[in-house]
Amino acid sequence: MKITCISDSLSFIFHKLGRIIARHPFYFFIPPVILSVLLSVGLLKLITIETVEYLVQSDSGETFKNKQFVNKMFPMNTSEFYDFMRMTDRPQAPMVYIKNKYGNNLIQKDNLLEIQILDEIIKNITIIVDEKVINYRKICGVVNEQCTENPIINVLSEMDDLLSGKKKLKFPVQIDPLTYKYDLWALNFGGVKYDVDGYVKKVEYIRLVYPVDESNFSKRHWICEWQKAFLRNVKQLDFHSIEIYPCPFLTSVLDVKNFADEITPLMSVAVIVVTFFCIITYTTNSWIKSKPWMGIAAVVSAGLAVVSSFGLMGACGIENVNSNIMLPFLIFATEIDDAFVIVANWRVTDVEESVEARMEKTYSKSAVSITITTLTNILSFCIAMTAEFPGVRIFCYYATTCVCFTYLYQITFFGSCLALSGYREERGLNAFTFKVTKESSNEHDLEEKNEFAFMEFFRDYVAEILSRPFVKLTVILLYIINLSIGIWGVTFLQEGIEFSTFYPKHSKVAKAYQIYYHYFTEFAYPVQIVINTTLDYSQLEVQKSIENLMVKFHSHPNVVGKEFEVSWLKYYKEFQNHPVSKFSMSGFDMTQKQDFIDGLLRVFFRLKAAKQFSTD
């Protein structure tokens, strides 16, 4: 009874609304147009977010809180110090992947010489931005007042020793026990064959990484333009011995930015196709009852709703995302259905009645269906607004607003157009020429017959077949089988996006993704361990407990051995046992808290090799 009461009340309200619209159609035609024009000004203030990492990463939950804590307590300043092992986000550094054209080991003289030339070419890529000449040295990530260098480039000066075997490279990390300097060979090498001691014997792929100064906001535009030039130049390079593959991540980011520009022209195609479809659908073999202009009105109504919603969001300062370009297609594909419902209910009304009476019955019958479909859409999008991912939330903000405006314009703008079309029909005017047209009784009967033939087919034949017990049982069994197959299929779903599938299978970008995932993920992610409790590190008990903690971490099968651990406490203790410390650390009692801190700040951190630990 309560549900019936709600539906009856809704039908009554729409019954009255239909009468008012029929009496004053222009009052409901002009205001929506004016409102859309005013709100469209907000499109000028629309701000589009193009940072893919921000959109796809959670901004709440335990992981987000931990990340915020680490970024606050241990901020990464790429203008003074740059270290991949201490970053909490994937760096924006452009990369290039290299392989031997003939499938041989890359640690050969001709390959290394061409890699050296490639590195020089990339560093010399120059662009002009804001009337300034920008090259890599203007935007690079800085360490010790110099641009961060790839480890493989640093050892090319010792190429002969490397090729003869006098100089050995230890994979994945090579740490100097005297200077504490380490080379992260997992950064440059992929598809590595190494001996039992970890020394490199063969390298199938080499990756060159070019860190940029992400901390300097004034350089972001420079960095973006240089990255585009980087891709353009790398794609044009060709060498005798080595094959080059551009950075797939950077390519995807720039492609996402170009996504809206490439798909926007398709919107006009969609509008034309949908409009033509609506005109054909609303046209019958009666020149008077045909409603081709209602097809155009349905499309215009949806278009006004999209413009109004985007304008309102822009005026309110709600950020936009490139994926919102899909919303007009979604609105045109789904919300125009309600226009068909309204027109279908108009067609079953008595043509002998007045326009007011027909509008009352049309709106009364359409009220529940279009309102329920709108509410279900709104509720679905509102639930998705609680998602932890900004990209999902922003899309749902815009989608909900679009649906609300579509519903509003359907019952006002589209309804007024329907009333005007009704007055044209009442006066017997041709739908195309707007001249008085007379129809014979035979034409009228044929129109009536054609108009209800489809409904009669479902009423007299389909409904009768579905009412048979055997058919009912068959339908239920088919439903259960379909549901079971669906549940079984869900178990095979895999989370995540395979970006390589977005590109042609044999393209260099797809190949670069495959190289990364197959050859550069064995030692891809350093684990940062942060102790968020104040401890007296001069106490032997505390040092022992931290050592036990690290032993537990290193015992995990996915964590490398203790020899690859990079820790300020580990190297500070080793420094205390070094012969040099007998003179530099004399007078300090390491069991005393203040002496422990003074030795750390005044002696250990002043060593050039230990500077890397100063921000830990």
Side-chain angles (χ1 to χ4, degrees):
M1 288 298 294
K2 292 181 179 179
I3 295 176
T4 304
C5 178
I6 294 174
S7 62
D8 289 345
S9 300
L10 196 59
S11 297
F12 177 76
I13 294 173
F14 271 76
H15 182 276
K16 297 293 185 183
L17 178 61
R19 182 195 304 170
I20 296 173
I21 293 176
R23 289 179 178 177
H24 312 285
F26 288 104
Y27 289 175
F28 294 87
F29 180 89
I30 298 175
V33 177
I34 296 176
L35 178 62
S36 296
V37 172
L38 294 176
L39 291 177
S40 65
V41 179
L43 295 173
L44 302 175
K45 297 183 178 181
L46 208 60
I47 300 174
T48 302
I49 300 177
E50 297 179 338
T51 306
V52 178
E53 287 80 5
Y54 166 75
L55 296 175
V56 301
Q57 291 181 0
S58 171
D59 60 359
S60 62
E62 193 66 24
T63 301
F64 176 76
K65 293 178 181 178
N66 291 339
K67 180 179 175 181
Q68 292 291 96
F69 173 80
V70 173
N71 288 337
K72 179 181 179 181
M73 302 305 298
F74 306 95
M76 175 63 66
N77 185 0
T78 55
S79 300
E80 298 178 0
F81 183 79
Y82 201 98
D83 189 350
F84 286 101
M85 295 184 68
R86 292 170 171 83
M87 298 193 73
T88 56
D89 285 312
R90 186 178 65 81
Q92 298 180 21
M95 307 173 189
V96 61
Y97 293 85
I98 306 164
K99 68 167 289 188
N100 188 287
K101 285 186 176 181
Y102 311 104
N104 299 326
N105 182 13
L106 275 172
I107 306 299
Q108 297 180 18
K109 190 167 186 176
D110 54 346
N111 295 330
L112 295 178
L113 288 175
E114 290 190 348
I115 289 173
Q116 191 173 32
I117 295 172
L118 171 62
D119 178 70
E120 293 174 358
I121 291 174
I122 292 175
K123 290 176 180 175
N124 289 323
I125 292 175
T126 303
I127 59 173
I128 298 178
V129 182
D130 301 328
E131 299 182 353
K132 295 181 180 179
V133 178
I134 307 299
N135 56 23
Y136 178 65
R137 291 172 181 80
K138 294 285 184 67
I139 60 171
C140 64
V142 178
V143 54
N144 295 329
E145 300 180 354
Q146 293 182 347
C147 288
T148 307
E149 192 63 89
N150 285 278
I152 184 61
I153 302 300
N154 285 330
V155 301
L156 290 182
S157 58
E158 306 174 73
M159 188 183 305
D160 294 336
D161 291 341
L162 179 63
L163 296 173
S164 64
K166 292 182 180 179
K167 182 175 182 60
K168 295 184 177 181
L169 309 178
K170 194 170 186 178
F171 189 81
V173 181
Q174 190 166 11
I175 303 175
D176 191 320
L178 296 178
T179 64
Y180 313 127
K181 180 180 179 296
Y182 61 87
D183 292 316
L184 187 60
W185 294 112
L187 180 70
N188 285 151
F189 293 165
V192 181
K193 305 293 183 183
Y194 45 87
D195 57 24
V196 291
D197 296 322
Y199 290 107
V200 175
K201 296 172 62 179
K202 180 182 178 181
V203 177
E204 292 186 51
Y205 295 91
I206 286 181
R207 174 176 60 183
L208 299 182
V209 184
Y210 296 91
V212 292
D213 186 6
E214 301 177 27
S215 301
N216 194 328
F217 289 91
S218 63
K219 294 182 179 181
R220 292 200 168 183
H221 182 53
W222 296 359
I223 292 172
C224 182
E225 295 302 318
W226 189 86
Q227 288 174 337
K228 295 177 182 178
F230 169 88
L231 282 182
R232 288 196 302 267
N233 283 268
V234 167
K235 290 177 180 179
Q236 296 173 359
L237 295 176
D238 186 30
F239 291 90
H240 175 71
S241 301
I242 60 175
E243 184 78 25
I244 302 171
Y245 299 92
C247 178
F249 300 102
L250 178 59
T251 302
S252 296
V253 170
L254 295 179
D255 284 349
V256 168
K257 294 179 181 179
N258 297 329
F259 171 71
D261 296 333
E262 293 178 358
I263 202 173
T264 299
L266 298 178
M267 194 182 303
S268 59
V269 178
V271 170
I272 294 173
V273 171
V274 172
T275 302
F276 184 74
F277 174 77
C278 290
I279 291 175
I280 295 298
T281 306
Y282 290 150
T283 302
T284 67
N285 57 357
S286 170
W287 295 115
I288 296 177
K289 293 184 178 180
S290 293
K291 293 178 173 53
W293 297 104
M294 293 309 301
I296 297 176
V299 175
V300 171
S301 177
L304 292 175
V306 172
V307 172
S308 299
S309 58
F310 275 74
L312 179 61
M313 292 290 99
C316 295
I318 306 298
E319 299 163 325
N320 182 37
V321 293
N322 287 316
S323 59
N324 283 345
I325 194 65
M326 296 183 293
L327 275 175
F329 298 94
L330 181 65
I331 295 300
F332 282 128
T334 59
E335 297 305 320
I336 289 181
D337 293 347
D338 291 342
F340 281 94
V341 172
I342 296 175
V343 173
N345 285 320
W346 169 273
R347 284 179 172 175
V348 297
T349 57
D350 189 353
V351 295
E352 301 298 330
E353 292 184 329
S354 66
V355 174
E356 285 189 22
R358 297 182 72 180
M359 284 291 292
E360 288 175 347
K361 293 180 179 180
T362 298
Y363 264 52
S364 178
K365 293 179 180 179
S366 305
V368 177
S369 59
I370 65 174
T371 302
I372 288 178
T373 55
T374 300
L375 287 177
T376 53
N377 290 335
I378 291 174
L379 288 174
S380 298
F381 287 125
C382 286
I383 292 173
M385 286 180 189
T386 62
E388 297 179 354
F389 303 98
V392 176
R393 287 203 310 271
I394 293 173
F395 179 84
C396 292
Y397 292 153
Y398 280 77
T400 303
T401 311
C402 281
V403 173
C404 289
F405 272 106
T406 302
Y407 178 72
L408 174 65
Y409 287 173
Q410 278 174 346
I411 62 177
T412 55
F413 177 83
F414 185 77
S416 64
C417 292
L418 181 62
L420 293 173
S421 178
Y423 285 116
R424 176 196 58 77
E425 183 180 340
E426 186 179 54
R427 296 174 184 176
L429 302 180
N430 186 292
F432 294 95
T433 64
F434 294 97
K435 293 182 179 180
V436 177
T437 303
K438 292 184 178 180
E439 292 181 343
S440 64
S441 58
N442 292 335
E443 290 177 342
H444 179 76
D445 295 339
L446 180 61
E447 163 64 18
E448 293 290 331
K449 183 177 180 180
N450 292 336
E451 192 165 324
F452 295 102
F454 197 63
M455 296 181 182
E456 290 176 354
F457 171 75
F458 278 91
R459 183 191 66 190
D460 298 336
Y461 296 98
V462 177
E464 193 275 331
I465 293 173
L466 288 175
S467 63
R468 297 175 183 177
F470 174 76
V471 176
K472 292 180 181 178
L473 181 62
T474 303
V475 171
I476 294 173
L477 289 175
L478 289 174
Y479 174 79
I480 294 174
I481 293 172
N482 181 57
L483 181 61
S484 301
I485 294 174
I487 295 173
W488 173 72
V490 167
T491 61
F492 293 94
L493 287 178
Q494 294 182 351
E495 294 185 5
I497 300 176
E498 187 80 24
F499 283 102
S500 62
T501 59
F502 292 171
Y503 297 90
K505 187 176 181 180
H506 300 291
S507 68
K508 285 196 170 184
V509 178
K511 180 63 177 176
Y513 271 116
Q514 294 167 11
I515 292 172
Y516 169 74
Y517 286 112
H518 285 92
Y519 300 100
F520 287 90
T521 53
E522 182 181 4
F523 302 100
Y525 310 106
V527 178
Q528 302 183 41
I529 301 173
V530 178
I531 300 174
N532 61 346
T533 302
T534 302
L535 299 175
D536 184 355
Y537 291 91
S538 63
Q539 297 181 9
L540 295 179
E541 295 82 4
V542 173
Q543 296 177 14
K544 187 66 176 177
S545 65
I546 293 176
E547 185 175 345
N548 292 335
L549 173 67
M550 298 307 298
V551 168
K552 291 181 180 179
F553 272 100
H554 289 298
S555 64
H556 193 281
N558 295 115
V559 179
V560 293
K562 185 175 176 62
E563 67 272 18
F564 299 115
E565 175 188 326
V566 178
S567 164
W568 71 269
L569 183 61
K570 170 187 173 180
Y571 288 111
Y572 187 35
K573 289 174 65 177
E574 290 184 2
F575 173 72
Q576 295 170 18
N577 298 324
H578 196 278
V580 177
S581 68
K582 293 182 180 180
F583 302 97
S584 58
M585 298 291 288
S586 59
F588 291 96
D589 184 358
M590 291 295 99
T591 61
Q592 298 298 317
K593 177 180 178 180
Q594 192 58 48
D595 283 357
F596 183 90
I597 295 175
D598 291 341
L600 182 69
L601 296 177
R602 298 177 184 177
V603 181
F604 184 67
F605 281 164
R606 289 188 177 182
L607 299 175
K608 184 177 181 180
K611 186 178 180 181
Q612 60 178 299
F613 304 114
S614 60
T615 57
D616 291 346

